[in-house]
């Protein structure tokens, strides 16, 4: 096979920029600056090795930290015509093994990260330019990818405990990128942040907003993204994207000083709800910035709705004090439904259109996520499981429809409890969940003077008695996953370990 004969939209976008701007800087990682020409050459070397050693396109895993070698390998896998399967070297060994087997990976390309004995016999290419060597024999006997035209395959958490593979095809990516490149107006002198994990699909937005536009992709060093304002200013970032939790942490530690990000043009938040208070703090720090709250499950290709706030424009107030998720992207259709699939003002969000995936890698997992023919409809709709309400400002995300739990004989809406908790003076953020049949809430505060009685009395003013958490735990920060979402597993472990500690003491260590 000729190298790149089956390359897709992602490589072609990068290649077009490399031809148009060969000496422009494509990537900055720490002190390294890599031009488009150099990055294309390194990617071509990886592609050649993949094609020669693995004898044809298939699913190829990418495993590495955010190094220049990893980004070259990312592009090289795409150039080879293989389906990219990003995995994280910090994942538990069992999750790595599950993903590699489920994807039918025929090889792994790495930046030298130690994979140990996760899947013995699987060939691994060390893609560092000074190495560029394989370990392990050629092995093309892996289970063939069921969606051979997929550009990438991301894995999300599954209800069965096994990761679910989400293949995204070229036409779905083309629909998103055509919109995003125009919407966010990156240019050759733009500097685009790369905060998201490569295993989380918003990272595709980072990489190919930059590389479709001849811009520079800039990777924050170490933990710089946890204090974004100083780094954004020093790195002269023009286009920022991250989970809302990054901005929330910065607000919590008072590092979003007014006017501290004067050159920032866009601040895009994806992956979780963006609180109005957090958005306003970000806007004060970046007065010239257009703040965008974007929404979209992995199954709908990065994001499918967005709400934009122009500089100086007032942010609308919503029932849960979050920024609206707004209106659909071009080519996307939305439907808000009740339990019977009929249209409603408040209900589950269904998504249709060009960006919706065709189904999970494991076909047995797909039937329940689509609403084919529901309510007499002919179109295929993806059921997001997210609860929204239609407003004059577009959709507002209210939480998951499966966040209603039973405590004793009562049904409790966890999102309602969290909204009430965040509405108390002095409380910054909070998460509510069930542990051993008891309702628990973990929260953060502006200072350490809040007493448990204050929390209980405040919640009692708006919630029925059965909705007031049995366990209250104050912490410095809510734990989050690598994708920037609240880590529910970590919360449960935290509460089980410290449930007997009074709320006023739990955040002191």
């Amino acid at each position: 096979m000729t190298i790149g004969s089956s390359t897709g939209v992602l490589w072609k976008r990068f290649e077009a920029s490399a031809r148009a701007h060969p000496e422009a800087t494509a990537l900055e990682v720490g002190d390294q600056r890599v031009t488009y020409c150099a990055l294309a050459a390194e990617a071509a070397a990886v592609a050649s090795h993949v094609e020669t050693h693995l004898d044809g396109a298939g699913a190829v895993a990418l495993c590495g930290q955010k190094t220049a070698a990893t980004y070259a390998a990312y592009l090289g896998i795409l150039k080879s015509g293989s389906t990219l399967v990003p995995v994280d070297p910090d994942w538990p060994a069992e999750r790595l093994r599950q993903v590699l087997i489920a994807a039918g990976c025929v090889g792994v390309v790495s930046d030298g990260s130690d994979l140990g004995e996760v899947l013995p016999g699987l060939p691994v290419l060390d893609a560092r330019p000074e190495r560029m060597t394989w370990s392990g024999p050629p092995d093309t006997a892996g289970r063939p990818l069921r969606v051979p035209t997929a550009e990438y395959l991301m894995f999300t958490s599954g209800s069965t405990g096994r990761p679910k593979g989400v293949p995204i095809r070229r036409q779905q990516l083309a629909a998103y990128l055509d919109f995003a490149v125009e919407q966010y107006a990156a240019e050759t002198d733009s500097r685009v942040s790369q905060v998201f994990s490569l295993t989380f699909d918003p990272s595709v937005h980072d990489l190919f907003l930059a590389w479709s536009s001849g811009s520079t992709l800039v990777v924050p060093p170490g933990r710089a993204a946890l204090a974004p304002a100083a780094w954004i200013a020093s790195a002269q970032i023009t286009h920022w994207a991250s989970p809302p939790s990054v901005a929330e942490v910065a607000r919590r530690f008072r590092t979003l000083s007014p006017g501290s990000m004067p050159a920032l043009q866009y601040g895009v938040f994806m992956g979780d709800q963006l609180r109005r208070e957090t958005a306003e703090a970000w806007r004060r720090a970046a007065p010239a910035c257009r703040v965008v709250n974007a929404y979209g499950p992995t199954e709908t290709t990065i994001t499918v709705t967005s709400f934009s706030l122009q500089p100086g424009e007032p942010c609308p107030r919503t029932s849960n004090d979050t920024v609206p998720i707004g209106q659909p992207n071009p080519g996307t259709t939305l439907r808000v439904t009740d339990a019977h699939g009929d249209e409603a003002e408040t209900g589950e969000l269904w998504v249709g259109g060009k960006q919706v995936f065709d189904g999970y890698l494991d076909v047995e997992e797909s039937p329940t996520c689509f609403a084919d023919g529901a309510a007499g409809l002919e179109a295929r709709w993806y059921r997001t499981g997210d609860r929204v309400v239609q407003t004059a400002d577009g959709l507002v995300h209210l939480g998951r429809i499966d966040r209603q739990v039973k405590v004793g004989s009562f049904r409790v809406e966890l999102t309602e409890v969290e909204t009430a908790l965040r509405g108390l003076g002095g409380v910054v953020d909070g998460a509510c969940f069930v542990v051993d049949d008891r309702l628990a809430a973990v929260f953060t505060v502006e200072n350490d003077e809040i007493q448990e009685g204050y929390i209980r009395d405040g919640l009692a003013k708006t919630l029925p008695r059965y909705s007031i958490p049995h366990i209250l735990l104050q912490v410095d920060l809510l734990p989050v996953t690598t994708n920037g979402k609240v880590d529910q597993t970590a919360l449960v472990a935290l509460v089980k370990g410290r449930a007997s500690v009074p709320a006023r003491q739990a955040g002191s260590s």
Side-chain angles (χ1 to χ4, degrees):
M1 175 185 290
T2 302
I3 292 174
S5 64
S6 59
T7 54
V9 64
L10 295 180
W11 169 257
K12 288 175 181 176
R13 282 177 175 268
F14 172 83
E15 184 179 44
S17 291
R19 287 175 175 170
H21 314 286
E23 300 307 317
T25 301
L27 176 68
E28 286 188 14
V29 185
D31 295 332
Q32 284 187 276
R33 288 169 172 77
V34 186
T35 65
Y36 274 90
C37 180
L39 190 57
E42 290 179 27
V46 172
S48 177
H49 275 270
V50 169
E51 280 291 323
T52 302
H53 198 77
L54 300 181
D55 191 28
V60 176
L62 171 71
C63 185
Q65 306 293 344
K66 290 183 177 180
T67 62
T70 295
Y71 291 99
Y74 189 114
L75 288 165
I77 292 170
L78 294 173
K79 179 176 173 58
S80 74
S82 302
T83 293
L84 173 73
V85 186
V87 299
D88 191 327
D90 295 328
W91 279 351
E94 179 58 21
R95 181 179 176 86
L96 269 172
R97 190 186 70 82
Q98 289 178 343
V99 166
L100 293 173
I101 291 175
C105 289
V106 295
V108 179
V109 181
S110 167
D111 68 344
S113 297
D114 183 12
L115 294 177
E117 293 298 314
V118 173
L119 203 61
L122 195 67
V124 179
L125 172 66
D126 185 336
R128 289 175 290 181
E130 69 275 16
R131 298 288 184 90
M132 202 63 72
T133 55
W134 286 95
S135 61
D139 179 8
T140 57
R143 179 165 62 85
L145 187 71
R146 297 176 187 174
V147 190
T149 57
E151 291 255 337
Y152 63 72
L153 180 60
M154 299 279 183
F155 281 80
T156 64
S157 298
S159 58
T160 63
R162 299 192 315 271
K164 292 193 296 188
V166 181
I168 298 298
R169 293 179 183 266
R170 297 165 189 172
Q171 61 267 33
Q172 293 146 1
L173 274 168
Y176 175 77
L177 289 173
D178 286 346
F179 159 76
V181 170
E182 180 178 355
Q183 170 85 350
Y184 300 115
E187 299 177 345
T188 53
D189 59 350
S190 297
R191 295 173 60 80
V192 180
S193 68
Q194 212 287 279
V195 174
F196 288 102
S197 164
L198 295 179
T199 63
F200 192 30
D201 67 321
S203 63
V204 180
H205 165 93
D206 297 340
L207 273 62
F208 291 95
L209 174 63
W211 292 340
S212 297
S213 310
S215 308
T216 302
L217 185 74
V218 189
V219 183
R223 299 175 66 83
L226 298 180
W231 179 74
I232 286 171
S234 64
Q236 300 179 306
I237 299 299
T238 58
H239 291 66
W240 168 270
S242 77
S245 58
V246 175
E248 179 58 38
V249 169
R251 186 181 76 84
R252 170 75 174 84
F253 284 100
R254 297 182 175 87
T255 62
L256 293 179
S257 303
S260 57
M261 299 181 285
L264 188 63
Q265 299 171 15
Y266 286 85
V268 184
F269 297 95
M270 318 175 190
D272 212 343
Q273 290 180 330
L274 174 63
R275 297 179 61 203
R276 183 177 181 275
E277 189 176 15
T278 302
E280 292 291 23
W282 187 272
R283 297 174 77 196
R284 289 191 293 271
C289 176
R290 178 179 170 187
V291 170
V292 181
N293 187 33
Y295 161 87
T298 300
E299 292 86 346
T300 61
T301 314
I302 308 174
T303 66
V304 283
T305 75
S306 60
F307 181 84
S308 297
L309 283 166
Q310 300 290 347
E313 181 182 6
C315 183
R317 292 192 176 276
T318 61
S319 59
N320 61 354
D321 219 23
T322 64
V323 178
I325 60 174
Q327 303 292 341
N329 297 354
T332 294
T333 50
L334 305 177
R335 182 178 174 88
V336 182
T337 68
D338 61 18
H340 305 290
D342 296 322
E343 289 192 89
E345 181 178 323
T346 302
E348 182 183 11
L349 179 61
W350 294 2
V351 180
K354 297 178 180 179
Q355 292 182 219
V356 177
F357 81 143
D358 297 321
Y360 294 110
L361 186 63
D362 185 342
V363 294
E364 294 181 359
E365 294 176 322
S366 295
T368 58
C369 75
F370 289 111
D372 296 336
L377 301 173
E378 294 183 2
R380 165 171 266 205
W381 297 87
Y382 172 69
R383 303 182 61 169
T384 66
D386 289 319
R387 188 165 173 264
V388 300
V389 60
Q390 301 185 68
T391 73
D393 298 299
L395 295 177
V396 174
H397 188 275
L398 300 177
R400 296 287 297 172
I401 60 171
D402 54 8
R403 296 207 72 212
Q404 188 181 87
V405 297
K406 197 168 185 180
V407 180
S409 59
F410 298 99
R411 293 196 176 276
V412 177
E413 183 61 56
L414 296 178
T415 303
E416 181 183 19
V417 181
E418 290 172 349
T419 299
L421 183 61
R422 292 167 183 154
L424 299 178
V427 174
V428 175
D429 203 358
C432 188
F433 47 97
V434 174
V435 178
D436 297 333
D437 296 323
R438 294 191 295 170
L439 199 60
V442 176
F443 60 96
T444 63
V445 299
E446 292 285 359
N447 54 59
D448 59 2
E449 298 176 359
I450 286 184
Q451 304 292 310
E452 182 173 337
Y454 167 81
I455 299 292
R456 295 194 181 281
D457 291 345
L459 294 177
K461 294 177 181 178
T462 57
L463 297 176
R465 184 183 299 246
Y466 60 79
S467 290
I468 298 176
H470 305 94
I471 301 168
L472 291 171
L473 187 62
Q474 179 180 317
V475 296
D476 293 330
L477 290 172
L478 295 182
V480 295
T481 66
T482 56
N483 294 341
K485 297 186 178 183
V486 174
D487 190 332
Q488 297 293 331
T489 301
L491 285 175
V492 171
L494 189 64
V495 165
K496 284 187 172 182
R498 303 172 70 182
S500 61
V501 181
R504 62 181 177 275
Q505 297 176 4
S508 61
S509 61

